[in-house]
Amino acid sequence: MHRPMVLAQPFRGTAAFRASALFRPRSLVLVAAPGMAEAPVLASNLAAGGFKGRLHAIGIAQEGLAPAGSIAELSDPPDLAVLCLPQAELEPAMQALAARGCFAAIVPVTAPDLAAVSARTGVRALGQGSFGLCVPAIGLNASLSHVAPLPGRLALVTQSSALARAVLDWAAAEGLGFSHVIGIGGNATLGFAAALDWLARQADTGAVLLDLRRIRNRRAFISAARATARTHPVVALRAGGRLADAAGIGDAVMEAALRRAGVLRVSGLEDLLAAAETLARARPRPGTAQGDRIGIVTNGHGLGLLAADAVVAGGGRLAVLSPGAQAAFAALLPGGRQPDNPLSLGSGAGPRLAEVAAMMAALPEVDAVVALHAPEPFEPGDVAAEAMVAACRAGAGRRAAPVLVGWSGQATAGRQRQLLANAGLAVFATPEAAVRGALHLAQDRRNRAAAAELPPRQVLELAPDHAAVRRILADARAAGRLGLTEEEALGVLAAYGLPTVPGRRAAGPAEAGDAAAMLGFPAVLKILSPDLPHKSEVGGVQLGLGTAAQVREAAVAMLARVRQRRPEARIAGFLVQRQAARALELRLRLGEDPMFGPWIGFGQGGTAADLLEDEEYDLPPLNLALADQLIGRSRTARLLAGFRDWPPANTGAVADALVRLSQVAVDFPEIASLTINPLFADAAGVLAADATLVLRPAGEAGVLAVAPYPAELARPFRVRDGEVLTIRPIRPEDAAAHAEAFGRLSTEDVRWRFFSPLKEMSPALVARLTQIDYDREMAFVATRRQADRTEMTLGVARLIRDPDSATAEFAVTVAPEMKGQGLGRHLMERLFEWGRAEGVGRVLGHVLADNAPMLGFVRALGFTLRRSPEEDEVYEAVLELGG
């Protein structure tokens, strides 16, 4: 119906701010005050960079920068300003810039109130304390760097100037270049989301490196990171994570958040540099799934063993050579030795290392080759290095596995490593570093594939009793409590359909005995107190009680014990439950991370859960596919599958419980934490035996890092023939139905919609169209429920916002059998309704000139049509939405 829309969207900004003015300026002014230490460095770098645009300087003299007396005296408004000023002079300068029409700035100096100044003036800035900005392709070096970055395909987005200098220094020695170096600094007004949204659209950017300290807008960051990771490898490092949270939960949650976005997390500067070396110079073999089958070839057996250990320790796999490969390699080995992996060629084999590495890279059972070289006496090392360059270049044009080179040593090997690096090879000084590079390549592939994985059709349809939960939470607040009793917490879970162990509250020992007699034996007795989240620590839990008398006696003893150990604890009575049969004990948790907000944890349960160190994390909202992945990452997954005397448990029921817990976080952001421990799991299903829930203070609410599915926008619609369809936002589980709907379109409809004779939708395109960011775009689908309970997609209308200009681009497609039923108009009207609510002022699209039905359709909706100034065969359709 009209051309596919741009898939990576620019970030949201003020009406006056333009991303291109910041990241690709045509003119720049340096405004500096005398005595500012950063000013001469900035002036020198700007003058030496070779920038082809206009460069002015105010307050500092530098050859190559045209002097100006003030911002007001500039002949033309600059695109970008670098403000090297004391705090008191910053706001007047930004006001002067705004008056001239410049709304992009870099603030490399201290400015603790930069966010407020930016809000008052409308000028958005990188900073405070920004390292600056380098765009080598246009000769821009507005940074505090001590070396000029080379042009290349790496992009570095950093908060630390020290880390930026270290990376640039290393890159200069390695011959690696950059498309962008962006100093976020204090992340006051322009942060990671802005930089990533820009980089996502840059064809000259390969891999993106992130130095994360503080994320100002978690949802915008995850959204932008995911958009970037769809087309670029993205690697992230967090310094100080363990210092901020010694328990490591914050680091684990960050890794989960980055995994969700398709970003590779590394643990230190060495790993970051190894990942940069790999991702900038090596490409995975097309079509490989896991990418972790590593082949090792070496001229020294000891190096090969070190590399093999690193593969196993890093979670990779040593590639298993096929019989044909073994036969081919056997002819190359001395003394009739049998080939294996690692493949050691023996002494004097340096010049043949490249040939054998190329042979191994051609094997289908190998995803990456680590070629290791040790110096030898009388060996022409330079010749061996040049042979490796030639072999890797020859393999680059084929469907060969990437070759990562470990060239050990320094006195002679250092020069040869430089030769290899200058030729564009991924080269490392040790076997372990080369293996880390190969594992980074595999992990990046897995992360990006998982972020775009097409989930199955199955959707867990929930019908929680929201009113019951609201009553429980209101009662706790009315009583002046943020902590709920166990009975109340289990009531919240029961309202979400999660099975709970039947229980009764008892005011005292006698009532506890009577309750146990009603529920049956063996019984469990628990103290009820909002002040005791870990009841077992004070003797507040008793198991295996076989009679009512035992329950009464246990209650008396428990009350005395708790009052002695915790006299200040408020006692609300007892909870009596029927003891569950033997089953696996799991722990499900909802918690809060300062950077990424609410998280979900899963692992082994019981009283020793904190000591077992088996907890994996993800972010809500979860669907069944994400819940299955979360379970699969834990060691507990092996117990759930059955182990020795533990029979297999119902993993599907555990995933169901995780999705229900996730939905609690979505529906009730006033909940700060919720723990289910234990959740019993066996072949029959799951049963929650204990739970704790804590509310946030009144008025506070958690903010999810991932936009939840807007289920409230689903509505029925009756088409002209009387059939009632469901119109709702698209979701990832629609992938199969979306592909099937495309298959039912005519060739003409496909050409009109995609501007090309597309034969099928690739999985990547299906993922992009069904896994959308509801904060940025909307797609409404019309569905029909079929006899097998699956849904058929009969139409889709899509609106992607252009945040910079309050403009959004539309697409609409209706199944051939539904044309003439009023469905297309209704889908578009739903888009307009959503767009107005989100601040969209203008809707536009492009329609082929021979698409007469669509031209008539948009005219009827009130669109204005005009010939595209760029393409004669295309019309532009524009509609002003208004209020």
Side-chain angles (χ1 to χ4, degrees):
M1 303 303 181
H2 80 354
R3 78 182 65 203
M5 294 158 288
V6 176
L7 299 186
Q9 291 300 299
F11 62 89
R12 196 170 311 167
T14 63
F17 174 81
R18 293 179 295 112
S20 59
L22 172 63
F23 295 117
R24 203 168 185 89
R26 293 167 298 181
S27 57
L28 181 147
V29 60
L30 170 64
V31 185
M36 300 297 288
E38 298 84 354
V41 179
L42 289 161
S44 175
N45 284 342
L46 280 167
F51 183 60
K52 299 301 188 293
R54 300 187 306 276
L55 287 174
H56 289 86
I58 298 171
I60 187 171
Q62 174 69 46
E63 185 177 353
L65 305 185
S70 67
I71 293 171
E73 295 176 26
L74 292 171
S75 57
D76 295 299
D79 283 338
L80 175 63
V82 181
L83 303 178
C84 198
L85 298 168
Q87 184 176 342
E89 298 178 25
L90 190 62
E91 184 162 0
M94 292 174 74
Q95 288 174 338
L97 289 170
R100 292 302 312 275
C102 174
F103 294 92
I106 298 170
V107 178
V109 296
T110 301
D113 60 344
L114 180 59
V117 173
S118 179
R120 289 192 292 267
T121 62
V123 177
R124 304 188 72 190
L126 293 174
Q128 61 164 332
S130 168
F131 176 72
L133 174 69
C134 301
V135 187
I138 62 173
L140 177 62
N141 184 1
S143 79
L144 297 173
S145 179
H146 64 299
V147 295
L150 297 170
R153 293 180 55 78
L154 278 178
L156 173 65
V157 185
T158 177
Q159 291 190 269
S160 166
S161 292
L163 187 141
R165 288 192 295 270
V167 171
L168 292 180
D169 197 283
W170 165 82
E174 293 292 311
L176 284 173
F178 292 82
S179 68
H180 298 76
V181 178
I182 303 172
I184 299 299
N187 192 16
T189 67
L190 289 174
F192 290 101
L196 287 168
D197 272 327
W198 174 262
L199 294 173
R201 296 176 289 151
Q202 304 310 305
D204 63 345
T205 295
V208 179
L209 310 179
L210 302 180
D211 158 41
L212 302 175
R213 302 285 182 83
R214 168 183 171 266
I215 293 170
R216 182 168 46 87
N217 186 327
R218 62 184 63 137
R219 186 172 291 184
F221 169 79
I222 292 292
S223 176
R226 186 172 185 177
T228 308
R230 283 193 174 107
T231 53
H232 304 70
V234 183
V235 184
L237 167 74
R238 180 188 187 185
R242 280 287 181 155
L243 184 63
D245 176 15
I249 292 178
D251 259 11
V253 170
M254 176 180 179
E255 186 159 346
L258 296 175
R259 183 191 306 112
R260 188 76 167 262
V263 174
L264 172 64
R265 162 79 190 284
V266 294
S267 58
L269 181 58
E270 185 177 1
D271 268 359
L272 182 73
L273 299 182
E277 179 83 18
T278 305
L279 297 175
R281 289 174 161 159
R283 294 290 180 270
R285 167 183 269 160
T288 54
Q290 295 297 314
D292 64 346
R293 299 172 301 171
I294 297 173
I296 302 170
V297 59
T298 176
N299 71 335
H301 190 55
L303 295 184
L305 293 178
L306 288 173
D309 284 347
V311 169
V312 175
R317 295 179 291 170
L318 289 169
V320 178
L321 302 180
S322 67
Q326 290 180 344
F329 289 136
L332 303 174
L333 298 179
R337 287 193 289 113
Q338 291 301 307
D340 203 353
N341 185 18
L343 183 63
S344 179
L345 302 179
S347 179
R352 289 192 294 127
L353 184 65
E355 175 192 354
V356 179
M359 290 174 60
M360 187 173 284
L363 298 176
E365 62 266 31
V366 175
D367 296 325
V369 174
V370 172
L372 303 173
H373 178 274
E376 294 190 68
F378 309 113
E379 180 199 49
D382 289 358
V383 173
E386 289 168 358
M388 186 64 69
V389 170
C392 290
R393 284 178 174 169
R398 308 170 192 156
R399 296 176 65 85
V403 177
L404 292 86
V405 181
W407 211 266
S408 298
Q410 184 59 39
T412 60
R415 183 186 70 256
Q416 294 155 12
R417 267 199 312 274
Q418 191 64 53
L419 184 154
L420 293 164
N422 291 343
L425 273 63
V427 58
F428 305 86
T430 66
E432 295 86 354
V435 168
R436 274 200 302 272
L439 294 176
H440 286 149
L441 199 65
Q443 187 61 54
D444 173 69
R445 186 179 188 88
R446 287 197 297 270
N447 283 1
R448 296 169 67 195
E453 184 175 352
L454 301 180
R457 268 190 159 106
Q458 183 184 8
V459 175
L460 182 59
E461 296 182 354
L462 303 179
D465 188 346
H466 292 124
V469 176
R470 282 192 288 269
R471 284 195 300 271
I472 293 171
L473 303 188
D475 288 347
R477 289 192 185 277
R481 294 185 284 114
L482 295 180
L484 272 63
T485 65
E486 179 184 344
E487 180 187 29
E488 291 169 329
L490 289 172
V492 170
L493 298 176
Y496 273 79
L498 203 155
T500 59
V501 174
R504 286 180 176 271
R505 176 188 283 211
E511 293 87 344
D514 295 340
M518 294 179 64
L519 292 169
F521 299 99
V524 178
L525 180 71
K526 301 176 182 178
I527 201 76
L528 277 180
S529 171
D531 303 319
L532 299 173
H534 302 291
K535 298 178 286 295
S536 59
E537 293 180 353
V538 293
V541 179
Q542 185 83 34
L543 306 176
L545 300 173
T547 66
Q550 289 180 4
V551 172
R552 287 191 291 270
E553 292 170 5
V556 171
M558 183 180 293
L559 199 57
R561 192 162 53 243
V562 172
R563 283 175 173 165
Q564 179 183 10
R565 297 180 183 179
R566 292 288 300 276
E568 79 287 358
R570 294 167 290 175
I571 306 301
F574 300 92
L575 179 65
V576 183
Q577 296 172 315
R578 172 74 180 267
Q579 186 165 318
R582 180 176 182 264
L584 285 175
E585 294 186 22
L586 308 176
R587 182 173 71 175
L588 279 59
R589 292 204 290 171
L590 167 65
E592 174 81 10
D593 178 69
M595 185 177 292
F596 288 102
W599 50 259
I600 299 286
F602 168 79
Q604 290 190 54
T607 56
D610 287 330
L611 302 178
L612 296 175
E613 295 186 352
D614 178 30
E615 188 165 29
E616 292 294 328
Y617 299 87
D618 210 323
L619 304 181
L622 298 179
N623 57 20
L624 287 171
L626 290 169
D628 283 334
Q629 293 170 19
L630 173 58
I631 295 168
R633 290 194 296 270
S634 70
R635 295 196 304 271
T636 305
R638 287 177 283 179
L639 291 175
L640 289 170
F643 183 75
R644 293 181 180 171
D645 61 333
W646 286 102
N650 188 336
T651 305
V654 179
D656 180 296
L658 283 165
V659 173
R660 293 178 190 276
L661 179 61
S662 166
Q663 194 60 40
V664 173
V666 172
D667 294 343
F668 290 93
E670 64 186 289
I671 294 176
S673 65
L674 173 55
T675 299
I676 308 170
N677 185 21
L679 177 77
F680 292 118
D682 59 19
V686 298
L687 201 60
D690 199 348
T692 59
L693 190 156
V694 177
L695 297 172
R696 302 176 192 272
E700 292 187 10
V703 178
L704 301 181
V706 179
Y709 180 70
E712 69 279 2
L713 298 180
R715 298 178 201 163
F717 173 68
R718 187 183 299 276
V719 296
R720 287 172 184 156
D721 68 4
E723 182 182 6
V724 177
L725 307 177
T726 298
I727 311 297
R728 58 167 175 79
I730 202 168
R731 57 190 172 204
E733 293 86 352
D734 290 319
H738 208 69
E740 291 166 2
F742 175 85
R744 296 194 301 272
L745 295 177
S746 68
T747 302
E748 188 176 49
D749 280 344
V750 170
R751 183 178 65 85
W752 282 343
R753 167 61 178 90
F754 292 96
F755 276 40
S756 67
L758 195 65
K759 293 184 178 180
E760 64 178 2
M761 298 177 74
S762 68
L765 180 56
V766 174
R768 174 61 190 91
L769 295 176
T770 55
Q771 298 176 20
I772 70 172
D773 181 346
Y774 302 110
D775 283 341
R776 294 180 176 221
E777 59 185 294
M778 179 53 64
F780 285 107
V781 291
T783 66
R784 172 193 292 153
R785 182 63 64 99
Q786 302 181 100
D788 63 357
R789 303 295 295 168
T790 62
E791 290 183 305
M792 174 187 288
T793 296
L794 299 172
V796 57
R798 189 177 305 273
L799 197 63
I800 297 182
R801 292 187 293 183
D802 182 351
D804 282 337
S805 62
T807 297
E809 191 173 355
F810 80 91
V812 60
T813 306
V814 173
E817 68 270 24
M818 297 305 296
K819 292 180 179 180
Q821 294 286 328
L823 180 58
R825 172 179 281 273
H826 181 75
L827 287 169
M828 291 295 290
E829 288 172 347
R830 290 295 309 275
L831 281 185
F832 298 159
E833 178 186 338
W834 178 85
R836 290 188 186 97
E838 295 294 322
V840 174
R842 172 181 292 183
V843 175
L844 64 85
H846 297 86
V847 185
L848 284 173
D850 67 345
N851 190 352
M854 177 58 73
L855 292 173
F857 176 70
V858 295
R859 280 195 188 97
L861 287 171
F863 281 81
T864 300
L865 292 170
R866 68 169 185 174
R867 287 276 186 179
S868 169
E870 299 174 356
E871 300 173 87
D872 290 339
E873 297 179 354
V874 176
Y875 277 94
E876 290 183 351
V878 179
L879 176 68
E880 303 294 337
L881 281 186

